[in-house]
Amino acid sequence: MKITLAQAINLLSSLHKKVNELQIEFFTVHIIEVPKGESYTPYDRTVEDVLQDLSDVQQDILSLKEIIQEANLNNQVEWDGRSISMITAIESAKQLRYRLDLLKTLATTKKREYMVHHHSGAIMEQIALFDPSQFKKQHDKLFRQVELLSSTIDKVNYTVDIEVPLAGKYLEA
């Protein structure tokens, strides 16, 4: 079954949720507590059923991840004047978002701030060793670049169709 890369990513997320649900179900069906000597009605599904389903979904996750990674390796985006793989684009976006967090910390730091130490009561002065306004400008510029890169990645995710044989198992009604 052909689906978009974005649908494959959503399916992967759905399969991870299914694993969590099966793990919860496992802990529900692995024991039953009844008063000593009383009879009980077993659960509709056995531990073996749940473990088999869990194994099947985990195998599907591995297959789907491989298909997604292959698509990400084989599809290119234009970025910073060159053509890069989706894998490189995705990792670059992650790294740039981390840098954005650091720049935001610097941009929101006060140039001078006074604090009182709780233990000694001493008044301390905290002085930024940089110009926060310069880092605010860097943050804003990098934010726009990261948003552009993310949009470029999204465009590929929603336009590239990939063959996902296991998709019918989960997506067809």
Side-chain angles (χ1 to χ4, degrees), residues 8 16 72 74 110 134 153 155 163:
H16 281 292
N72 283 338
N74 293 331
K110 294 180 180 161
Q134 292 295 60
I153 292 167
K155 182 178 179 185
E163 186 63 40

Side-chain angles (χ1 to χ4, degrees), residues 25 49 59 68 95 102:
E25 184 180 5
D49 294 335
Q59 186 58 49
I68 291 169
Q95 291 176 3
L102 296 177

Side-chain angles (χ1 to χ4, degrees), residues 47-60:
V47 168
E48 291 80 9
D49 294 335
V50 175
L51 289 174
Q52 183 60 54
D53 286 354
L54 183 59
S55 180
D56 292 346
V57 173
Q58 288 172 325
Q59 186 58 49
D60 288 344

Side-chain angles (χ1 to χ4, degrees), residues 60-77:
D60 288 344
I61 286 172
L62 291 175
S63 298
L64 185 55
K65 278 187 170 187
E66 188 171 352
I67 291 167
I68 291 169
Q69 288 302 327
E70 187 176 315
N72 283 338
L73 185 59
N74 293 331
N75 285 284
Q76 306 282 309
V77 297

Side-chain angles (χ1 to χ4, degrees), residues 129-152:
L129 302 176
F130 55 89
D131 181 1
S133 66
Q134 292 295 60
F135 286 98
K136 170 83 170 107
K137 290 175 188 172
Q138 286 182 34
H139 172 273
D140 293 347
K141 181 179 179 184
L142 185 59
F143 179 81
R144 290 188 299 274
Q145 290 174 337
V146 171
E147 288 300 307
L148 179 60
L149 179 56
S150 292
S151 295
T152 305

Side-chain angles (χ1 to χ4, degrees), residues 96-122:
L96 291 172
R97 286 192 189 286
Y98 176 75
R99 184 168 180 84
L100 264 178
D101 289 342
L102 296 177
L103 291 176
K104 185 172 185 171
T105 298
L106 295 173
T108 58
T109 299
K110 294 180 180 161
K111 189 72 176 152
R112 288 187 109 85
E113 186 173 17
Y114 298 97
M115 300 178 309
V116 177
H117 269 233
H118 297 290
H119 299 295
S120 67

